[in-house]
Amino acid sequence: MSSPDAGRPPSTGPDADRRTTVLDSAMTTFARYGYRKTSMEEVARAAHISRPGLYFLFSSKEALFRAAVAQTLDRDLTAVEQVLADSGRLLPERLVEAFDRWAGRYIGGPLTRDAARVVEENPDILGEIVETAPRRFEQLVTDAIAVESGRRTALPVAQTLISTSIGLKHQVASRDSYLERLAVAIGLLLP
């Protein structure tokens, strides 16, 4: 499903900064109130922009939500890619940090936890990004493991770590617990 805003060229300069700020404010507002209860008026107020100005940037709440989530996931994946590319550090350290950037930071705080819940509860609105972003994360982790452990075992190890991460997100109460237990799993799978 394509949004009417998808065809707009990426903004540069002050317009890009304004768009980024609006999307950050939108994500915070969606996390606080949930998708259904968030109004364009609330997002506009949080972003310090007029409601018509918000509608100029995004034709609907759905388009705004999709863009806010896409920006967040893109940032997460860029951070993961940078962490995993740092070959000066041991692979287990890089993997723990990569999973922290991808999932760990969404554990613990009420707003971050709510942001993850809003995304999980509204996959139909998000379109293909709900599949492409996790696949990209899996590929980044698989590639990092393959460099050290070989191609043959990289994919199953990456998939097992991702499954472990998903389970831990629902079992632990804090980001620190998540990271500690994930480090144990990484140590067991990558001796």
Side-chain angles (χ1 to χ4, degrees), residues 46-59:
H48 306 290
I49 187 174
S50 69
R51 199 167 129 216
L54 182 60
Y55 275 106
F56 176 76
L57 292 171
F58 301 97
S59 61

Side-chain angles (χ1 to χ4, degrees), residues 121-178:
E121 290 176 354
N122 297 283
D124 51 322
I125 296 170
L126 296 173
E128 67 183 28
I129 196 166
V130 220
E131 296 172 11
T132 58
R135 276 198 311 264
R136 176 75 178 126
F137 177 73
E138 180 183 284
Q139 189 62 54
L140 290 169
V141 171
T142 301
D143 291 347
I145 293 169
V147 168
E148 303 237 350
S149 305
R151 254 306 144 197
R152 196 170 67 83
T153 59
L155 181 60
V157 169
Q159 290 172 332
T160 301
L161 288 174
I162 290 167
S163 295
T164 301
S165 171
I166 292 167
L168 288 174
K169 279 179 21 181
H170 298 287
Q171 291 178 352
V172 298
S174 73
R175 185 178 188 175
D176 288 340
S177 279
Y178 168 82

Side-chain angles (χ1 to χ4, degrees), residues 36-104:
R36 288 195 171 104
K37 292 182 182 175
T38 296
S39 69
M40 293 292 272
E41 181 68 36
E42 287 162 338
V43 173
R45 192 174 19 257
H48 306 290
I49 187 174
S50 69
R51 199 167 129 216
L54 182 60
Y55 275 106
F56 176 76
L57 292 171
F58 301 97
S59 61
S60 66
K61 182 168 86 168
E62 182 178 302
L64 173 63
F65 181 66
R66 190 177 302 115
V69 171
Q71 174 178 280
T72 300
L73 291 174
D74 185 52
R75 281 181 183 162
D76 290 348
L77 288 169
T78 298
V80 165
E81 192 167 16
Q82 291 170 349
V83 165
L84 291 174
D86 182 3
S87 60
R89 295 172 51 206
L90 296 174
L91 179 60
E93 290 174 19
R94 289 183 282 147
L95 286 170
V96 168
E97 187 175 343
F99 274 91
D100 185 37
R101 298 288 181 109
W102 179 249

Side-chain angles (χ1 to χ4, degrees), residues 11-22 49 57:
S11 300
T12 56
D15 287 343
D17 292 343
R18 181 180 194 136
R19 183 177 171 89
T20 298
T21 300
V22 168
I49 187 174
L57 292 171

